[in-house]
Amino acid sequence: MNKNCIILPCAGKGTRLGLSYPKELHYIAEDEALIDQTLKWITESGVECAILIVISIEKLELIVHLEKKWNFFKIKYVVQRGKEFVGSLTNLEHCIGEFNLVLLPDQFVSSKNGINEAFEALRNRSKAVFLAKDQSDSSELADDGALLVQNSELQSIAEKPGLNNCSKYNASWCGVGFAAEQYSKFILDISLLYTQASLSGGDIAQTIFFKSPIIYVDEYYDLGTWPRLQWFLKDRMKYEL
């Protein structure tokens, strides 16, 4: 078993973008696809880890891209058997590492902190850990995985709570980690979140997420929709000119 493992769920069909090719291969700069951003962040962190790509059989061109550009990583590929995000994380017990961090391939994160700190928290016996960006913009919180954080610990969580329910949250998560010994409970708890859409009070108190440490990143963009992707490219161009 590898010590550290980063899991990238890449089996989604990208229906929000409506592309005829894997969304992870949509280019946002010259020679820079969406998934390259995440792998670049991993590289810059200097962490020693295996990479586990959860993929569908329709995405063979993504494997070609990764093997050409990122073959210095220890990359494993697993075909997704379940549905949606939760399905991408099930049946991985024989593939994961001792400590695991799930990152999303259609996001942009720019931060000196995050990956190493998440693995350190897991080594220090945290049952789970979240990477997140401090967030006060209601339009962002409404469509993100939203967290209520107090004293750098998770108090409640919601999956895309909507404008009417997002005011109580103050961060957007962009990664979640767990130790191998917590894998079964992690799957139960993440399934509960996506079934109920939110966890708070007594519900979250029964999960490994309650009071888990929050590692803040500097910048985070969800690039899974055209409006957000276009806004990101426009904003990025402003700083590069």
Side-chain angles (χ1 to χ4, degrees), residues 6-142:
I6 293 180
I7 303 168
L8 300 180
C10 296
K13 295 182 179 180
T15 52
R16 293 187 297 171
L17 289 177
L19 300 172
S20 60
Y21 50 87
K23 64 179 178 180
E24 297 85 4
L25 295 183
H26 185 72
Y27 278 78
I28 57 176
E30 185 177 356
D31 197 35
E32 188 174 76
L34 277 173
I35 196 169
D36 294 333
Q37 289 284 345
T38 300
L39 291 166
K40 180 180 178 182
W41 185 35
I42 296 170
T43 303
E44 291 175 347
S45 76
V47 68
E48 293 187 12
C49 66
I51 305 291
L52 180 60
I53 307 288
V54 184
I55 200 165
S56 65
I57 57 175
E58 295 86 4
K59 289 192 171 184
L60 296 181
E61 58 193 298
L62 177 58
I63 296 178
V64 172
H65 173 86
L66 293 171
E67 289 301 314
K68 282 183 177 180
K69 192 167 184 177
W70 300 99
N71 60 4
F72 53 86
F73 275 124
K74 301 174 184 177
I75 300 180
K76 299 179 184 177
Y77 300 94
V78 177
V79 175
Q80 179 169 333
R81 301 300 182 187
K83 296 181 178 180
E84 305 298 336
F85 177 67
V86 174
S88 70
L89 301 176
T90 56
N91 301 314
L92 299 181
E93 56 265 31
H94 301 299
C95 308
I96 59 175
E98 185 176 353
F99 306 111
N100 304 275
L101 183 61
V102 181
L103 301 177
L104 304 179
D106 57 353
Q107 65 184 12
F108 173 85
V109 180
S110 177
S111 183
K112 293 181 179 179
N113 303 317
I115 294 175
N116 284 293
E117 289 79 4
F119 282 124
E120 182 179 0
L122 294 172
R123 288 194 297 271
N124 289 334
R125 308 302 297 172
S126 292
K127 294 180 179 179
V129 61
F130 282 84
L131 299 180
K133 183 178 186 303
D134 190 38
Q135 186 62 266
S136 59
D137 187 329
S138 58
S139 63
E140 295 289 331
L141 286 167

